[in-house]
Amino acid sequence: MTLDSLRSKFVVVTEPFVNLFDGLHISANTVSIASLAFAALAGIAYYFSAGNPAILAAALLLVLLNGFFDGLDGAIARKNGTASKYGDFLDHVIDRYADVFMICGIFLGGYLRSDLGAMVIVGVLLASYLGTQAQAVGVGRVYGGIMGRADRMILIIVATCLQLVYPTEVGAYGIQFTILGWALLIIGVLSHVTAFQRIWYTRKQLLSGENGKKN
């Protein structure tokens, strides 16, 4: 399901901006830091947005800017020949902080109970950690699984649009949450599923490698 594998399809959209930023000598790391700033501002906007459609619309715009700038930094680095291990490391660190800012902003803003919000952020961080831990043990960076970062971003964007149109809680059988709350729950559950998928994949790769050495 993950949309991360489709990033290469959006080159036609991002390439003009990559050329523009490169021409202005704006570094990939600067773009990464700008994406983090947009994420932090989005989190703040979500926190104060309950009952205020204008602030919620601002949060939506900031999430879109975060996603757009996050998709530019790597392309800029590759274009101007500045791609590096540090840049890759910084990009992953910024992505995790961005996840925390936006998700915490949503549930602390009252769109979902804090205990459920904690479950969501733990799932997101665990799934991301396991993807990089697989690389640390020699399997390579693991992006697979049902809920990648691009999937999370799309869900948050769509849910925010729907929240603007229909701010009332929805549900059945006495279970009621806002649309943004339901989106976070989906992200949380599927992030934990993704974590187990990455554990299973890494285990399979490591054991097959060990068996190959024995043979």
Side-chain angles (χ1 to χ4, degrees), residues 79-99:
K79 181 174 179 61
N80 59 27
T82 59
S84 65
K85 290 183 179 180
Y86 171 70
D88 181 60
F89 169 78
L90 179 65
D91 184 54
H92 286 296
V93 170
I94 285 175
D95 282 349
R96 299 297 74 76
Y97 271 107
D99 289 334

Side-chain angles (χ1 to χ4, degrees), residues 68-147:
F68 184 69
F69 273 65
D70 182 49
L72 289 179
D73 51 6
I76 292 171
R78 288 188 293 273
K79 181 174 179 61
N80 59 27
T82 59
S84 65
K85 290 183 179 180
Y86 171 70
D88 181 60
F89 169 78
L90 179 65
D91 184 54
H92 286 296
V93 170
I94 285 175
D95 282 349
R96 299 297 74 76
Y97 271 107
D99 289 334
V100 170
F101 284 139
M102 290 188 287
I103 291 172
C104 288
I106 293 171
F107 75 76
L108 292 176
Y111 293 99
L112 184 67
R113 290 188 346 229
S114 293
D115 56 339
L116 294 174
M119 177 276 294
V120 175
I121 197 64
V122 167
V124 168
L125 294 178
L126 270 177
S128 299
Y129 165 76
L130 289 165
T132 54
Q133 182 60 22
Q135 185 177 30
V137 296
V139 173
R141 182 73 169 89
V142 177
Y143 290 99
I146 197 169
M147 181 59 62

Side-chain angles (χ1 to χ4, degrees), residues 15-206:
E15 187 172 10
F17 295 93
V18 170
N19 293 333
L20 174 64
F21 280 49
D22 184 52
L24 294 173
H25 304 292
I26 298 174
S27 71
N29 288 346
T30 300
V31 173
S32 294
I33 293 169
S35 74
L36 176 62
F38 288 130
L41 291 171
I44 293 170
Y46 275 120
Y47 182 78
F48 290 105
S49 67
N52 193 319
I55 297 179
L56 186 58
L60 173 62
L61 176 61
L62 289 163
V63 171
L64 289 168
L65 287 170
N66 164 260
F68 184 69
F69 273 65
D70 182 49
L72 289 179
D73 51 6
I76 292 171
R78 288 188 293 273
K79 181 174 179 61
N80 59 27
T82 59
S84 65
K85 290 183 179 180
Y86 171 70
D88 181 60
F89 169 78
L90 179 65
D91 184 54
H92 286 296
V93 170
I94 285 175
D95 282 349
R96 299 297 74 76
Y97 271 107
D99 289 334
V100 170
F101 284 139
M102 290 188 287
I103 291 172
C104 288
I106 293 171
F107 75 76
L108 292 176
Y111 293 99
L112 184 67
R113 290 188 346 229
S114 293
D115 56 339
L116 294 174
M119 177 276 294
V120 175
I121 197 64
V122 167
V124 168
L125 294 178
L126 270 177
S128 299
Y129 165 76
L130 289 165
T132 54
Q133 182 60 22
Q135 185 177 30
V137 296
V139 173
R141 182 73 169 89
V142 177
Y143 290 99
I146 197 169
M147 181 59 62
R149 186 165 197 269
D151 304 294
R152 295 195 296 271
M153 294 293 289
I154 292 297
L155 271 174
I156 289 172
I157 289 167
V158 171
T160 304
C161 291
L162 294 175
Q163 185 73 38
L164 283 165
V165 175
Y166 194 81
T168 307
E169 290 188 346
V170 294
Y173 303 106
I175 302 174
Q176 301 280 330
F177 296 110
T178 63
I179 293 174
L180 265 171
W182 281 112
L184 282 195
L185 278 177
I186 292 169
I187 289 170
V189 171
L190 295 186
S191 291
H192 282 284
V193 172
T194 298
F196 282 104
Q197 287 178 305
R198 292 178 178 181
I199 290 170
W200 183 258
Y201 174 81
T202 303
R203 174 184 180 275
K204 183 179 178 182
Q205 294 299 310
L206 290 173

Side-chain angles (χ1 to χ4, degrees), residues 7-16:
R7 286 191 177 191
S8 60
K9 306 295 183 183
F10 296 100
V11 171
V12 66
V13 176
T14 59
E15 187 172 10

